[in-house]
Amino acid sequence: MQPNDPQVRWLKEPELGWTGKVYLPLFVEGMRTTLRHLVGPKLTVQSPEERHEIPEPLIYRGVHRLNRDEQGRVKCVACFLCATICPAHCIDIVAAPSPWPDRDKYPESFTIDELRCIYCGMCEEACPVQAIELTTLYDLTGKSREEMIFDKEKLLSVYDQTKDAEPIFQSWPLPAVSAEQENAQKK
Amino acid sequence: MDLLTTLEAGVKMVILFGGLMGAAAYLVLVERWVAAWIQDRLGPNRAGIPLTKIRLFGLGQPIADGGKFIFKEEFTPGHVEKVLYFLAPVVSLTAAVAVFAVVPFGEVEIFGYRLRLAVAPGVDVGLLYLVAVSGLGVLGVLLGGWASNNKYSLFGGIRSAAQLLSYEIPLGLALLGIVLAAGSLRLEEIVLWQAQTGLWNIFWQPLGFSLFFLAAFAEAGRLPFDMAEAEQELVGGYHTEYSGMKLMMYMVAEYLHMILASFLLVLVFFGGWHFWGLSGGEPAVAWPTALLRVLILLGKVLVVIWFFMVARWSWPRFRFDQIMHLAWYVLIPIGLVYVVGAAVLAEYGPDWAARLGLSLPLFMAAANWTIFLVVWVAAACLVPAHYDNRPLRGPIRPQAPAPETIP
């Protein structure tokens, strides 16, 4: 399209007002904003002495953990849904026949490459048995790449470490439904 | 020149150079603090004494930065023009340091000896030297831009040269008005004159002050006039290809420009070392008063530098054509009016004041403030605001068709 095409609409920039032309009022206004922030409250969190305040732990996406059931066994049933949905391909599961009667398979090994992970939380959403969850631990460091590949024991230990602060997620609190509404839905 | 004078100058030079380098290093820290506070952050507050937990509010930061700069790799790209590339930062820094030779800190009388606190005291062409040598700094910037053999560097250098050369003119014109009124080019005399009358130049020379203030901002290359290295547009401007110590020389030169601009503003317009009730108008004094004067001078300079730093975050950067427009359409005509006005007032002012029965300072102040208001309003009304940089004529810029003709 040419610049002189009749369909091009040339807009005129807004004219400067009186204050803009004299410049001094705008000068003062800019200065006032700056000075207000100069002495205003500061937002910096002095990590590591102070910790970040995590506003909503349920939706925070930090390091993974593998949950245990009541008997202390890993909850995972090795269904591979998390490994399948993972966009970064960072989950590696080796399944084996389960030694317990309540499920067919269990993960013989379960490793997550924390360096590959993009912390999108899709594994947590995909899991049908609430076995994998993202915690609020955010300062994850290691001295080698091997150290950052978390195996099953490590992931279970993350659960042991965080289970008191963050219990296993059961369900979102549903909005209260009155009996009349329920009846109306049934009809 | 005898041995004692040479020795004296040498000692002064060492003190001044050390002081300037230290000041530049610590001003970087102050600038980072001010920037952080304005952005609601805390700024650097960790680096203290090495190998201990003592933090000292981050006062160790400049030393750490300096050490880092010394040990950084100094990479020379293969495509540069070697000689000029190495010479450019040196020229820039030399010019920036050499200017301070004529900056006076007052006079002190010790054991009957009058010690003048300036490296080159009593230079009769002090202000001329100052303007000329600080203009030399452009050469370093231009050489660096050219020798880097890089588009961004070249553009940075060209912009910087155009800007600095344009703003030299209003700067010189503003100083000319003061020189006409004070009757001397010596900075010592100008300060002394303000101290003796107790009337700082800013109170009765508002037009000269505004001109000088704007031009000094542009000369120092600070926002909102930092076209030379507009990071968002030109990568790094003229020092894109520089690293290590050579980059540091450029940075220090830039800071020295800002310090110089602050010193000039204070010396010429804010009464130098004078402050009412604390230091009077006699030229040479005993050391306690001299020390007090130096502290007053440095305090005022710090306030001006602080203003430079706050101003950086207060207003958006001008576009390059706007900067040129401001210099050539606004500041230079105003400067000419100012110089003519100052000349007329210097010649006929006493007569007119006597005829009107007013005291001379009162008459001068009234006349200058009137000129200031008239010129400012006239500039605001007459000079077309320049915010549209599309071409003004030709097929590229047709008239906007009426809205109803657009399907």
Side-chain angles (χ1 to χ4, degrees), chain A residues 2-16 18 21-24 26-49, chain B residues 33-34 36-43 45-46 55 213 224 306-307 310-311 313-315 318 372 376 379-381 383 385 387-390 395-401 403 406-407:
Chain A
Q2 290 291 316
N4 52 359
D5 191 285
Q7 291 203 26
V8 173
R9 276 183 79 177
W10 287 83
L11 298 179
K12 230 180 154 211
E13 293 191 29
E15 291 278 332
L16 271 186
W18 177 81
K21 278 185 177 166
V22 182
Y23 199 73
L24 268 181
L26 296 184
F27 178 92
V28 172
E29 183 140 355
M31 199 77 190
R32 218 179 52 211
T33 310
T34 321
L35 290 181
R36 202 174 59 233
H37 282 274
L38 186 70
V39 295
K42 306 290 173 254
L43 300 175
T44 309
V45 175
Q46 296 253 36
S47 184
E49 292 89 12
Chain B
W33 273 341
V34 171
W37 293 336
I38 288 171
Q39 294 164 4
D40 293 345
R41 295 183 287 118
L42 285 176
N45 61 355
R46 295 279 163 147
R55 280 186 176 160
F213 190 66
W306 176 84
F307 184 82
V310 174
W313 303 102
S314 298
W315 304 291
F318 284 100
F372 170 68
W376 192 282
C381 299
V383 180
Y387 39 68
D388 193 345
N389 67 339
R390 291 178 291 190
I396 298 300
R397 185 89 186 278
Q399 289 298 310
I406 295 168

Side-chain angles (χ1 to χ4, degrees), chain A residues 78 94-100 103-108:
Chain A
V94 177
S98 163
W100 311 303
R103 62 187 102 161
D104 290 342
K105 295 189 291 176
Y106 90 112
E108 198 176 46

Side-chain angles (χ1 to χ4, degrees), chain B residues 121-135:
Chain B
V123 178
D124 284 333
V125 290
L127 267 178
L128 277 186
Y129 170 85
L130 231 149
V131 173
V133 177
S134 72

Side-chain angles (χ1 to χ4, degrees), chain B residues 285-300:
Chain B
V285 287
W287 68 268
T289 323
L291 189 67
L292 183 69
R293 285 181 173 182
V294 171
L295 289 182
I296 291 174
L297 177 64
L298 292 182
K300 285 182 187 175

Side-chain angles (χ1 to χ4, degrees), chain A residues 100-119:
Chain A
W100 311 303
D102 58 345
R103 62 187 102 161
D104 290 342
K105 295 189 291 176
Y106 90 112
E108 198 176 46
S109 97
F110 190 108
T111 54
I112 298 180
D113 188 344
E114 300 284 346
L115 293 179
R116 272 192 89 133
C117 175
I118 59 170
Y119 300 93

